[in-house]
Amino acid sequence: MRNQTPVSATRYESNNIESHLIEKRVFNPPEAFSSKADIPSFEQYQKLYRKSIGNPEEFWGEQASELLVWHKKWKTVLDWKEPFARWFVGGTLNVSENCLDRHLSGSRRNQAALIWEGEPGDKRTLTYQQLHREVCKFANVLKRNQVKKGDRVIIYMPMCPEAAIAMLACARLGIIHSVVFGGFSAAAIKDRVLDSQAKMVITADGGYRRGAIVPLKRNVDEALKDDEHVKKVVVFRRVGNQVTIREGRDVWWHREMEYVDANCEPVPVDSEDPLYILYTSGSTGKPKGVLHTSAGYLLQAALTTKYVFDIKEGDIYWCTADVGWVTGHSYVVYGPLCIGATAFMYEGAPNWPEPDRFWKLIEEYGITIFYTAPTAIRAFVRWGDEHPQRHDLSSLRLLGTVGEPINPEAWMWYHKVIGGGRCPIVDTWWQTETGSIMITPLPGATPTKPGSATLPFFGIDAAVVDDQGKEVPPNVGGKLVIRKPWPSMLRTIWGDEKRYKKQYWSEFKGMYFTGDGARRDKDGYFWIVGRIDDVLNVAGHRLGTSEIESALVSHLDVAEAAVVGRPDEMKGQAVVAFVTLKQPKKPTPELRETLREHVAEVISAIAKPDDIRFTDALPKTRSGKIMRRLLKEVASSGQVTGDTTTLEDYSVLAKLSGDGKESAS
Ligand code: WTA
């Protein structure tokens, strides 16, 4: 393939999966990059990919011996009884030992593991030796406070080294952590505490965001108001704000650390022992606790970090994701540390105090690899080129994106303005459930096309199929599936095996259904269209429409609510809510604002509807199902052109699409 090779036009045949993108540009990996890369040519990628797909178990087995430190070697690479996988059966290891202890015997001991900057500008560096020491001490704090292997611990922290320390200390003892994003509300913490039956919460007094203090401890107090499960709350002092300490339950991180020494042997755990639960939005009102286990997860997180980010001695790698999301788990903590990289962490907002904060950090720390989300890139575009242009970004050698489809214009801007035209871009497709990157370019090998996540990673059998599960021809839209188990796949939904089967394995026999629509072009490149279920992707965050609906309906004045997405230039998708009110309540602009705030309180500010439309009734089928497809059309274009034959009451539709907005506009 050559630069500027045209791609044949796209046919759009799928029922509801559309792709309007025809992209002709192709960018080959720069020679200077390829010559030093782990996978230096496309031929090499193809050769290794074929081999890995021909015999995935052999491939993953070899990688597991090479990349991980084991206490006891496994007997069987994969035990697959659809839909339940067990990888590296019979093996034992410890995840924190793989991320820390193994690096202490040579010169890496004194290499930076984490380099951190807080939003106010405070700085810290932890070498592998120092990080190991902190993790051992904090693991002893966990022991002192009576948490043990198999127990669940909620981590609700700002982006600071202690968040990683808490995760790794749990891993050291086989304790299952569940990190809750610091932007979530008290109600979200409460749900997760209940669902996971957590015994402990690790939090901070607060964190900094856009110059303000996020009152983390206050949110935890609110969440635990009537809780009887959580026995201990460990509080890290980050900002020094006033907090309430409940005697007997709450302890200070720094005080506890005074009581313990730094000797803590890693506990060997079974390959399949749980490492963490991470809650993510699904198509029902209740978030799903995605369960990841130890060996397979760590292996694929580490191997993808090595090949996709091509990390070498001397690199400083920055993934901007918060540890509250899966990207923060796999590509801030577990992947980079397992391969002995130096990872940079930043606490705050990209536009604080000025819109050039990220570029300032890249210049100051000499960041070489930068991984962020398309929604952030679109915001940078809007803020103007003068901000990156004020800084020397010549240390950068590789760029990455994750979280949603990237539009080609944003890709080109990233390539030119941030990458100076010389850095390959890895557009990585994956999910909380997949644990690690699944479809991605390898930067020294794969020619890239702006907007395409390109080709599957080693051992990953991805395909686009029709409603019968048959692979579709090139440039025809369909459903994105994975046809073979992979090591970092979720093992189940915590406490809900039925939902696990139904959600991922019931659509097609023998295939994992991703919930995404996609097409492949004639070169086999994947073009991800986005979610085709009732999940929205707002600014790279997954939000279940029914979660937001439940939040709305929990308000006293709301009778019924339906939430849909509308395309949004900045955020990818915007949240539009159609709301009917309880009689005799009348819609007012104030009520609209109250409802938006209510959603922020119940879920998070990221879930706030951009638009609330009051209506007398919602369009429903005769069996009473809300016809979201029609609402989507109304939200996007103000009109309905699609099939309405199953609609129960036509007058509802006429009212809705009249001027696009209803009564209280
Ligand atoms: C979307 C984030 C297009 C997709 C790691 C997926 C993407 C969902 C890409 C998972 C990409 C993620 N191109 N779409 N490179 N990466 N997605 O669980 O819809 O927060 O199903 O995991 O984000 O979001 P999640």
Side-chain angles (χ1 to χ4, degrees):
M1 269 175 282
R2 271 206 209 99
N3 283 356
Q4 312 296 319
T5 313
V7 173
S8 59
T10 311
R11 280 193 290 140
Y12 312 112
E13 288 196 358
S14 161
N15 34 11
N16 55 1
I17 306 160
E18 286 189 21
S19 167
H20 296 290
L21 208 64
I22 303 171
E23 178 55 53
K24 298 194 170 89
R25 291 164 290 208
V26 177
F27 294 84
N28 286 313
E31 187 54 43
F33 193 103
S34 297
S35 60
K36 298 195 199 82
D38 277 341
I39 308 290
S41 71
F42 193 54
E43 291 66 44
Q44 189 124 351
Y45 158 75
Q46 287 176 308
K47 206 171 121 199
L48 242 173
Y49 179 74
R50 271 197 295 271
K51 191 172 159 233
S52 72
I53 278 296
N55 192 343
E57 289 166 45
E58 185 181 283
F59 172 79
W60 290 115
E62 276 169 21
Q63 298 300 328
S65 306
E66 220 169 273
L67 221 62
L68 300 185
V69 178
W70 295 85
H71 276 251
K72 197 164 95 210
K73 208 186 146 164
W74 65 91
K75 289 201 177 70
T76 316
V77 173
L78 172 64
D79 170 27
W80 176 232
K81 293 192 183 69
E82 191 193 326
F84 299 103
R86 294 196 306 144
W87 283 87
F88 308 109
V89 183
T92 65
L93 84 182
N94 181 278
V95 171
S96 101
E97 181 181 9
N98 270 279
C99 291
L100 300 167
D101 309 51
R102 68 182 311 176
H103 303 309
L104 300 184
S105 53
S107 61
R108 191 167 284 156
R109 181 182 181 81
N110 296 319
Q111 178 199 308
L114 293 177
I115 300 180
W116 173 82
E117 187 166 310
E119 196 183 71
D122 37 347
K123 300 172 169 49
R124 269 166 74 200
T125 296
L126 288 163
T127 63
Y128 272 94
Q129 188 270 340
Q130 291 170 320
L131 182 61
H132 174 258
R133 196 179 154 78
E134 293 298 304
V135 168
C136 288
K137 283 180 71 180
F138 194 67
N140 283 334
V141 169
L142 294 175
K143 280 190 207 164
R144 232 179 86 75
N145 285 281
Q146 267 85 50
V147 269
K148 52 180 194 317
K149 185 167 182 277
D151 287 345
R152 274 80 58 204
V153 163
I154 299 280
I155 299 176
Y156 182 65
M157 298 277 276
M159 268 302 271
C160 63
E162 279 66 23
I165 291 167
M167 291 161 75
L168 289 160
C170 288
R172 198 161 188 87
L173 304 178
I175 293 163
I176 308 167
H177 62 68
S178 184
V179 184
V180 178
F181 172 54
F184 277 138
S185 65
I189 307 170
K190 187 175 169 185
D191 281 350
R192 286 150 176 80
V193 165
L194 272 177
D195 190 78
S196 67
Q197 305 263 294
K199 266 174 93 173
M200 176 188 269
V201 176
I202 303 170
T203 188
D205 51 0
Y208 291 102
R209 187 78 190 175
R210 232 165 248 122
I213 289 174
V214 184
L216 298 170
K217 173 64 165 66
R218 205 175 70 201
N219 293 346
V220 169
D221 290 341
E222 170 74 24
L224 299 184
K225 229 171 25 202
D226 311 309
D227 177 86
E228 285 171 5
H229 243 92
V230 172
K231 300 287 177 280
K232 290 282 172 184
V233 176
V234 184
V235 189
F236 174 65
R237 186 182 275 157
R238 162 72 189 119
V239 299
N241 58 342
Q242 275 284 328
V243 295
T244 317
I245 293 292
R246 192 204 275 188
E247 277 311 315
R249 187 194 67 182
D250 302 352
V251 294
W252 284 104
W253 178 300
H254 60 276
R255 288 268 167 74
E256 289 295 301
M257 291 290 257
E258 287 171 9
Y259 296 119
V260 294
D261 63 24
N263 300 313
C264 178
E265 283 303 311
V267 173
V269 304
D270 191 274
S271 296
E272 281 299 324
D273 274 341
L275 177 62
Y276 66 81
I277 303 168
L278 186 58
Y279 287 86
T280 188
S281 299
S283 45
T284 74
K286 191 169 157 276
K288 307 177 277 196
V290 167
L291 180 75
H292 283 294
T293 57
S294 300
Y297 169 78
L298 185 65
L299 174 66
Q300 198 177 329
L303 191 72
T304 48
T305 307
K306 179 173 138 86
Y307 283 143
V308 177
F309 299 112
D310 193 59
I311 298 180
K312 299 278 185 301
E313 291 286 321
D315 270 320
I316 301 197
Y317 154 89
W318 180 16
C319 162
T320 66
D322 191 281
V323 286
W325 309 114
V326 74
T327 310
H329 285 61
S330 302
Y331 300 108
V332 177
V333 181
Y334 292 116
L337 295 177
C338 186
I339 64 163
T342 296
F344 178 74
M345 253 177 134
Y346 165 63
E347 178 187 32
N351 55 350
W352 186 264
E354 297 294 329
D356 69 340
R357 185 64 181 272
F358 274 17
W359 322 124
K360 200 161 167 249
L361 291 169
I362 290 177
E363 175 171 7
E364 191 172 326
Y365 291 91
I367 304 292
T368 57
I369 302 165
F370 180 65
Y371 186 35
T372 196
T375 183
I377 298 170
R378 288 193 297 268
F380 301 142
V381 173
R382 193 177 51 163
W383 295 338
D385 293 7
E386 64 271 24
H387 303 294
Q389 275 162 2
R390 246 189 294 150
H391 295 279
D392 177 4
L393 305 180
S394 61
S395 58
L396 289 172
R397 63 180 201 89
L398 175 61
L399 302 173
T401 71
V402 57
E404 54 181 316
I406 182 165
N407 45 312
E409 296 67 41
W411 195 102
M412 289 305 297
W413 182 89
Y414 198 33
H415 174 71
K416 279 195 200 131
V417 181
I418 305 305
R422 71 183 177 279
C423 304
I425 298 178
V426 286
D427 173 353
T428 62
W429 177 90
W430 58 295
Q431 307 177 296
T432 304
E433 293 86 343
T434 69
S436 328
I437 293 170
M438 302 289 278
I439 302 177
T440 178
L442 298 183
T446 316
T448 51
K449 304 180 189 181
S452 169
T454 75
L455 295 162
F457 187 72
F458 302 126
I460 304 303
D461 185 10
V464 180
V465 300
D466 63 18
D467 290 343
Q468 281 68 51
K470 205 169 133 275
E471 203 161 357
V472 295
N475 288 320
V476 174
K479 292 175 174 168
L480 180 64
V481 297
I482 314 291
R483 294 184 294 198
K484 284 187 173 63
W486 64 99
S488 66
M489 64 188 262
L490 81 163
R491 298 301 193 260
T492 189
I493 301 282
W494 181 256
D496 201 346
E497 210 171 278
K498 239 169 75 192
R499 191 169 175 197
Y500 167 70
K501 288 186 188 161
K502 181 161 181 290
Q503 182 85 37
Y504 306 107
W505 299 95
S506 66
E507 192 90 7
F508 307 110
K509 173 116 192 66
M511 297 180 200
Y512 166 87
F513 176 47
T514 62
D516 278 355
R519 71 173 166 98
R520 299 184 83 167
D521 65 23
K522 68 169 177 20
D523 298 318
Y525 277 40
F526 284 83
W527 297 79
I528 314 293
V529 180
R531 310 287 309 189
I532 52 177
D533 52 12
D534 292 333
V535 177
L536 307 181
N537 192 331
V538 178
H541 300 311
R542 261 169 78 167
L543 297 169
T545 49
S546 48
E547 258 175 277
I548 307 175
E549 286 162 7
S550 314
L552 284 165
V553 176
S554 74
H555 190 278
L556 229 59
D557 297 335
V558 175
E560 199 173 27
V563 168
V564 296
R566 144 163 71 71
D568 182 89
E569 211 174 290
M570 291 306 298
K571 301 197 288 184
Q573 277 188 302
V575 179
V576 181
F578 293 84
V579 170
T580 60
L581 295 173
K582 288 189 189 151
Q583 296 294 351
K585 200 75 199 172
K586 288 276 172 283
T588 60
E590 291 73 41
L591 182 58
R592 174 177 289 141
E593 215 25 61
T594 308
L595 292 180
R596 294 182 71 235
E597 281 311 318
H598 179 70
V599 173
E601 259 164 50
V602 177
I603 308 174
S604 159
I606 52 180
K608 251 192 200 177
D610 296 87
D611 199 354
I612 293 185
R613 301 188 184 187
F614 294 109
T615 165
D616 296 337
L618 294 169
K620 291 190 185 157
T621 60
R622 285 176 191 111
S623 61
K625 253 183 126 194
I626 296 172
M627 293 184 73
R628 287 164 194 289
R629 184 173 51 78
L630 302 185
L631 291 175
K632 254 188 235 174
E633 283 191 54
V634 172
S636 309
S637 64
Q639 298 204 344
V640 172
T641 51
D643 180 15
T644 54
T645 44
T646 49
L647 188 66
E648 192 221 11
D649 177 1
Y650 285 96
S651 67
V652 171
L653 194 62
K655 280 189 206 153
L656 273 177
S657 49
D659 62 356
K661 295 208 174 187
E662 275 305 290
S663 354
S665 318

